[in-house]
Amino acid sequence: GGGEGRWDFREWVNHSPQKADFLSGVVEGLRRAAPKEVEAALRLCADFKLTNAVPQIEPLLGHTNPAIRGTALSTLEQLKVPLRAEPLLSFLNSATHLQRLQAL
């Protein structure tokens, strides 16, 4: 799908009386075991600019799943969060060229 569907969804949530419940559910999703759920929660954190979720996102930079590590890094970049060097060290040794570039 294009960006339009996501925009409509964001607008709907932003005007919803349950917005706070939804956004706290997104942050809870960062603690899920299923990688797809965690990745979806990370993307929603970026979409909704949930800078309050940064303390839950930063530890995911060390996740065992490389896709989650990459999505966490992208999310923090989109949130314009200054990152400490330590969590990024694992990315410098990544097998993925893009992740090495992101870490730099």
Side-chain angles (χ1 to χ4, degrees), residues 38 47 54 79:
V38 175
D47 283 351
V54 168
L79 294 175

Side-chain angles (χ1 to χ4, degrees), residues 59-89:
L60 295 175
L61 292 173
H63 200 280
T64 54
N65 184 318
I68 289 178
R69 287 197 307 266
T71 306
L73 182 60
S74 296
T75 299
L76 290 170
E77 283 179 340
Q78 289 177 46
L79 294 175
K80 296 177 175 40
V81 174
L83 297 172
R84 298 186 322 276
E86 303 88 59
L88 296 176
L89 292 176

Side-chain angles (χ1 to χ4, degrees), residues 5-78:
R6 287 173 64 157
W7 177 253
D8 292 343
F9 176 69
R10 266 200 310 246
E11 281 292 299
W12 179 81
V13 170
N14 281 329
H15 293 95
S16 166
Q18 289 86 22
K19 178 182 178 181
D21 293 336
F22 173 79
L23 296 179
S24 68
V26 167
V27 176
E28 282 297 312
L30 296 171
R31 297 190 185 98
R32 299 260 189 270
K36 293 287 180 211
E37 291 181 38
V38 175
E39 284 185 77
L42 284 166
R43 287 191 190 95
L44 288 169
C45 285
D47 283 351
F48 287 98
K49 304 195 180 355
L50 300 183
T51 53
N52 62 322
V54 168
Q56 287 87 357
I57 296 170
E58 282 184 328
L60 295 175
L61 292 173
H63 200 280
T64 54
N65 184 318
I68 289 178
R69 287 197 307 266
T71 306
L73 182 60
S74 296
T75 299
L76 290 170
E77 283 179 340
Q78 289 177 46

